[in-house]
Amino acid sequence: MKGSSKTQSLNEFVENGAVIAVLGSGAREHALACALAESKYCKQLVLMPGNDGAKLLSPLKVSLAPANLGDFEALASQLKEKKVEFVVVGPDDLLAQGVVDFLEKKDFVVFGPKKAAAKLEWSKAFAKEMMQTCGVPTAESVELTAADLDTFESKLETLLPYPVVLKYDGLALGKGVVIAQNTDEARSFLKEVFEEKKFERVGFESDTKAAAPVVLAEEFLTGFEVSLFAICDGKDYALLQPACDYKKLKTGNRGPNTGGMGAYSPVPWLPDARCREIADKIFKPILDEMRARKVTFRGLLYAGLMVRGQDFWVLEFNVRFGDPETQALLPRLSSDLALVLYGAALGELEKALDLAPLRWKSEACVNIVAASRGYPEKPETGFEVHFDGFRPSEQQRLFFAGVRNLDGKIQTSGGRVFGISQLGPTIETALDAALVAMSQVGFEGMYFRSDIGRIGDDA
Ligand code: AMP
Ligand code: GLY
């Protein structure tokens, strides 16, 4: 939105500050709340709904408000009640449901893309078509529908031999991608999508053309993965430092895929100049093409990349901060995040960056996630979290996710329970200190990876 008469201009924001809300309940939102609360322009930060751990361990400016994020009318009333003027959206499903469209109509300034722009995440087929149109390098692919269930192998010809990557064309809580090693594995995933209708179709409700589910089959690429985040105002973008996350459950990159077991930043094998060069080949053409289609992209555009030597490919776009990369990135940021996000939301990123250029600490950050026994399939919950000498500090932060307060005690309530973000002169020293910190917090059945940031392990 280009600030309406009922919202503050960038100059007014600088002069008066604002009450800011962060929507979401995970460790990413806890980290965002802490970073935004550090802004001198943030009068108060309301985390909606957040979690009981975030309530315990956040700057004084942060308060929590219970919220049913599925009820936009009630959410807007609550935000008005709390005098919130600026809203930062965490999770993808809210964006796919059109929370930004709704709240902007109610005169909130919102950082996040509208539903039509969020399609870059909620439809992989749309993202693929955009990449092809814009000449952004991406894996070769074909689209499969229910009609291909018996004959899909012939359609896969150009992608074979196995493995082949199959991606459900929609939001799937990280469960929509499989790397099929043979025909049987491919068929069983296609059956889950087309026959068992395992996944929801968030975002597609009003899109009659896309009423039937689609699976994108892709050639299998090898290399190193990295996440690039760009704060976008529709026209320009500001690149954040690169970060890498670890999706596999177990140390040594074994076990099933998860929502993310840790992350680190910066990325020693991706120097700044190379990073900028890659980013320019992705974000600018995509923003320009979106604008040409009258769908302005304002918010965070996240490109998940595979890099091999001088080549790179975009594996996916997300349209929100990554989890857990954000927890490894924001502790390294030393400039004002709130001002830049507000500027981007108004379409005035350049002006905001003039006032608050992005600055980074030279230190590295390692984020290790503590997960419940049984995660990701069937996490066991209900165990008390003990703090045995752990002291949060500027260098060492703890961001909570799946916890609740029961009779004054913090108990586990989800698969990923918390993450510790540790700064240090190098990734190696940060990892060592993070592992010490992990030994000072615990709960029954806690599992974490001890190799986050060990270069070479994340390929
Ligand atoms: P996506 O949600 O598209 O990022 O896929 C999830 C994960 O699957 C990625 O982080 C990669 O580890 C893997 N992946 C996705 N696409 C490919 C591909 N074309 N080749 C190899 N691995 C892939
Ligand atoms: N780190 C992966 C994601 O946020 O989707």
PDB file of all heavy atoms in Angstrom, residues 28 121 227 245 247 259-260 302 316 318 320-325, ligand 2:
ATOM      1  N   ARG A  28      10.402 -18.229  14.789  1.00  0.00           N
ATOM      2  CA  ARG A  28      10.657 -17.154  13.817  1.00  0.00           C
ATOM      3  C   ARG A  28       9.975 -15.855  14.268  1.00  0.00           C
ATOM      4  O   ARG A  28      10.575 -14.778  14.253  1.00  0.00           O
ATOM      5  CB  ARG A  28      10.113 -17.577  12.454  1.00  0.00           C
ATOM      6  CG  ARG A  28      10.013 -16.454  11.450  1.00  0.00           C
ATOM      7  CD  ARG A  28       9.364 -16.923  10.162  1.00  0.00           C
ATOM      8  NE  ARG A  28       8.061 -17.559  10.378  1.00  0.00           N
ATOM      9  CZ  ARG A  28       7.451 -18.326   9.493  1.00  0.00           C
ATOM     10  NH1 ARG A  28       8.021 -18.583   8.340  1.00  0.00           N
ATOM     11  NH2 ARG A  28       6.272 -18.859   9.758  1.00  0.00           N
ATOM     12  N   GLU A 121       4.584 -18.479  -3.601  1.00  0.00           N
ATOM     13  CA  GLU A 121       4.821 -19.591  -2.667  1.00  0.00           C
ATOM     14  C   GLU A 121       3.702 -20.614  -2.721  1.00  0.00           C
ATOM     15  O   GLU A 121       3.974 -21.816  -2.726  1.00  0.00           O
ATOM     16  CB  GLU A 121       4.993 -19.095  -1.224  1.00  0.00           C
ATOM     17  CG  GLU A 121       5.149 -20.267  -0.258  1.00  0.00           C
ATOM     18  CD  GLU A 121       5.724 -19.920   1.104  1.00  0.00           C
ATOM     19  OE1 GLU A 121       5.998 -18.729   1.350  1.00  0.00           O
ATOM     20  OE2 GLU A 121       5.889 -20.846   1.915  1.00  0.00           O
ATOM     21  N   SER A 227      19.763 -20.055   1.330  1.00  0.00           N
ATOM     22  CA  SER A 227      18.539 -19.247   1.279  1.00  0.00           C
ATOM     23  C   SER A 227      18.909 -17.778   1.143  1.00  0.00           C
ATOM     24  O   SER A 227      19.706 -17.272   1.935  1.00  0.00           O
ATOM     25  CB  SER A 227      17.728 -19.409   2.563  1.00  0.00           C
ATOM     26  OG  SER A 227      17.499 -20.773   2.837  1.00  0.00           O
ATOM     27  N   ASP A 245      19.922 -23.456   5.972  1.00  0.00           N
ATOM     28  CA  ASP A 245      19.199 -24.222   6.989  1.00  0.00           C
ATOM     29  C   ASP A 245      19.438 -25.713   6.783  1.00  0.00           C
ATOM     30  O   ASP A 245      19.952 -26.138   5.746  1.00  0.00           O
ATOM     31  CB  ASP A 245      17.701 -23.886   7.000  1.00  0.00           C
ATOM     32  CG  ASP A 245      16.969 -24.437   5.793  1.00  0.00           C
ATOM     33  OD1 ASP A 245      17.621 -24.776   4.790  1.00  0.00           O
ATOM     34  OD2 ASP A 245      15.735 -24.535   5.845  1.00  0.00           O
ATOM     35  N   LYS A 247      17.492 -29.260   6.794  1.00  0.00           N
ATOM     36  CA  LYS A 247      16.129 -29.817   6.813  1.00  0.00           C
ATOM     37  C   LYS A 247      16.076 -31.231   7.375  1.00  0.00           C
ATOM     38  O   LYS A 247      15.056 -31.656   7.903  1.00  0.00           O
ATOM     39  CB  LYS A 247      15.550 -29.815   5.402  1.00  0.00           C
ATOM     40  CG  LYS A 247      15.299 -28.399   4.891  1.00  0.00           C
ATOM     41  CD  LYS A 247      14.330 -28.367   3.723  1.00  0.00           C
ATOM     42  CE  LYS A 247      13.948 -26.953   3.337  1.00  0.00           C
ATOM     43  NZ  LYS A 247      15.011 -26.213   2.641  1.00  0.00           N
ATOM     44  N   GLY A 259      10.811 -29.422   9.478  1.00  0.00           N
ATOM     45  CA  GLY A 259      10.594 -27.986   9.249  1.00  0.00           C
ATOM     46  C   GLY A 259      11.891 -27.201   9.380  1.00  0.00           C
ATOM     47  O   GLY A 259      11.916 -25.998   9.137  1.00  0.00           O
ATOM     48  N   GLY A 260      12.981 -27.848   9.763  1.00  0.00           N
ATOM     49  CA  GLY A 260      14.276 -27.152   9.917  1.00  0.00           C
ATOM     50  C   GLY A 260      14.864 -27.418  11.289  1.00  0.00           C
ATOM     51  O   GLY A 260      14.195 -27.222  12.302  1.00  0.00           O
ATOM     52  N   TYR A 302      11.846 -14.913  -0.652  1.00  0.00           N
ATOM     53  CA  TYR A 302      12.875 -15.852  -0.218  1.00  0.00           C
ATOM     54  C   TYR A 302      13.126 -16.802  -1.376  1.00  0.00           C
ATOM     55  O   TYR A 302      12.207 -17.436  -1.861  1.00  0.00           O
ATOM     56  CB  TYR A 302      12.307 -16.550   1.021  1.00  0.00           C
ATOM     57  CG  TYR A 302      12.842 -17.874   1.502  1.00  0.00           C
ATOM     58  CD1 TYR A 302      12.811 -18.153   2.864  1.00  0.00           C
ATOM     59  CD2 TYR A 302      13.308 -18.875   0.660  1.00  0.00           C
ATOM     60  CE1 TYR A 302      13.249 -19.375   3.364  1.00  0.00           C
ATOM     61  CE2 TYR A 302      13.759 -20.088   1.153  1.00  0.00           C
ATOM     62  CZ  TYR A 302      13.709 -20.328   2.494  1.00  0.00           C
ATOM     63  OH  TYR A 302      14.122 -21.539   2.970  1.00  0.00           O
ATOM     64  N   GLU A 316      12.910 -23.028  -5.052  1.00  0.00           N
ATOM     65  CA  GLU A 316      11.572 -22.600  -4.606  1.00  0.00           C
ATOM     66  C   GLU A 316      11.600 -21.138  -4.221  1.00  0.00           C
ATOM     67  O   GLU A 316      12.652 -20.593  -3.888  1.00  0.00           O
ATOM     68  CB  GLU A 316      11.121 -23.408  -3.381  1.00  0.00           C
ATOM     69  CG  GLU A 316      11.981 -23.144  -2.164  1.00  0.00           C
ATOM     70  CD  GLU A 316      11.382 -23.611  -0.837  1.00  0.00           C
ATOM     71  OE1 GLU A 316      10.166 -23.826  -0.760  1.00  0.00           O
ATOM     72  OE2 GLU A 316      12.148 -23.732   0.126  1.00  0.00           O
ATOM     73  N   ASN A 318       9.672 -18.631  -1.408  1.00  0.00           N
ATOM     74  CA  ASN A 318       8.746 -18.444  -0.296  1.00  0.00           C
ATOM     75  C   ASN A 318       8.511 -16.952  -0.193  1.00  0.00           C
ATOM     76  O   ASN A 318       9.307 -16.155  -0.691  1.00  0.00           O
ATOM     77  CB  ASN A 318       9.324 -18.995   1.003  1.00  0.00           C
ATOM     78  CG  ASN A 318       9.478 -20.503   0.959  1.00  0.00           C
ATOM     79  OD1 ASN A 318       8.595 -21.199   0.466  1.00  0.00           O
ATOM     80  ND2 ASN A 318      10.596 -21.017   1.427  1.00  0.00           N
ATOM     81  N   ARG A 320       7.879 -15.164   2.732  1.00  0.00           N
ATOM     82  CA  ARG A 320       7.927 -14.741   4.143  1.00  0.00           C
ATOM     83  C   ARG A 320       9.306 -15.129   4.672  1.00  0.00           C
ATOM     84  O   ARG A 320      10.061 -15.824   3.997  1.00  0.00           O
ATOM     85  CB  ARG A 320       6.801 -15.402   4.949  1.00  0.00           C
ATOM     86  CG  ARG A 320       6.443 -16.838   4.511  1.00  0.00           C
ATOM     87  CD  ARG A 320       7.345 -17.844   4.986  1.00  0.00           C
ATOM     88  NE  ARG A 320       7.259 -19.127   4.299  1.00  0.00           N
ATOM     89  CZ  ARG A 320       8.151 -20.089   4.487  1.00  0.00           C
ATOM     90  NH1 ARG A 320       9.158 -19.906   5.316  1.00  0.00           N
ATOM     91  NH2 ARG A 320       8.075 -21.226   3.854  1.00  0.00           N
ATOM     92  N   PHE A 321       9.600 -14.642   5.863  1.00  0.00           N
ATOM     93  CA  PHE A 321      10.891 -14.975   6.464  1.00  0.00           C
ATOM     94  C   PHE A 321      11.009 -16.494   6.639  1.00  0.00           C
ATOM     95  O   PHE A 321      10.041 -17.158   7.003  1.00  0.00           O
ATOM     96  CB  PHE A 321      11.016 -14.313   7.837  1.00  0.00           C
ATOM     97  CG  PHE A 321      11.340 -12.842   7.772  1.00  0.00           C
ATOM     98  CD1 PHE A 321      10.334 -11.885   7.789  1.00  0.00           C
ATOM     99  CD2 PHE A 321      12.659 -12.400   7.714  1.00  0.00           C
ATOM    100  CE1 PHE A 321      10.629 -10.529   7.730  1.00  0.00           C
ATOM    101  CE2 PHE A 321      12.962 -11.059   7.656  1.00  0.00           C
ATOM    102  CZ  PHE A 321      11.951 -10.120   7.667  1.00  0.00           C
ATOM    103  N   GLY A 322      12.194 -17.028   6.411  1.00  0.00           N
ATOM    104  CA  GLY A 322      12.421 -18.460   6.566  1.00  0.00           C
ATOM    105  C   GLY A 322      12.576 -18.835   8.027  1.00  0.00           C
ATOM    106  O   GLY A 322      13.007 -18.038   8.853  1.00  0.00           O
ATOM    107  N   ASP A 323      12.199 -20.046   8.315  1.00  0.00           N
ATOM    108  CA  ASP A 323      12.309 -20.576   9.668  1.00  0.00           C
ATOM    109  C   ASP A 323      13.122 -21.862   9.560  1.00  0.00           C
ATOM    110  O   ASP A 323      12.712 -22.767   8.827  1.00  0.00           O
ATOM    111  CB  ASP A 323      10.895 -20.861  10.185  1.00  0.00           C
ATOM    112  CG  ASP A 323      10.863 -21.203  11.661  1.00  0.00           C
ATOM    113  OD1 ASP A 323      11.936 -21.451  12.247  1.00  0.00           O
ATOM    114  OD2 ASP A 323       9.753 -21.222  12.226  1.00  0.00           O
ATOM    115  N   PRO A 324      14.305 -22.011  10.156  1.00  0.00           N
ATOM    116  CA  PRO A 324      14.903 -21.172  11.198  1.00  0.00           C
ATOM    117  C   PRO A 324      15.972 -20.166  10.728  1.00  0.00           C
ATOM    118  O   PRO A 324      16.674 -19.612  11.563  1.00  0.00           O
ATOM    119  CB  PRO A 324      15.568 -22.225  12.091  1.00  0.00           C
ATOM    120  CG  PRO A 324      15.994 -23.293  11.139  1.00  0.00           C
ATOM    121  CD  PRO A 324      15.011 -23.295  10.013  1.00  0.00           C
ATOM    122  N   GLU A 325      16.097 -19.896   9.410  1.00  0.00           N
ATOM    123  CA  GLU A 325      17.150 -18.966   8.977  1.00  0.00           C
ATOM    124  C   GLU A 325      17.037 -17.604   9.668  1.00  0.00           C
ATOM    125  O   GLU A 325      18.046 -16.976  10.014  1.00  0.00           O
ATOM    126  CB  GLU A 325      17.092 -18.749   7.461  1.00  0.00           C
ATOM    127  CG  GLU A 325      17.422 -19.959   6.623  1.00  0.00           C
ATOM    128  CD  GLU A 325      16.165 -20.671   6.173  1.00  0.00           C
ATOM    129  OE1 GLU A 325      15.243 -20.840   6.996  1.00  0.00           O
ATOM    130  OE2 GLU A 325      16.099 -21.072   5.004  1.00  0.00           O
TER     131      GLU A 325
HETATM  132  N1  GLY B   2      13.665 -22.857   6.058  1.00  0.00           N
HETATM  133  C1  GLY B   2      12.665 -23.290   5.180  1.00  0.00           C
HETATM  134  C2  GLY B   2      11.454 -22.478   5.190  1.00  0.00           C
HETATM  135  O1  GLY B   2      11.330 -21.524   5.931  1.00  0.00           O
HETATM  136  O2  GLY B   2      10.558 -22.774   4.419  1.00  0.00           O
END
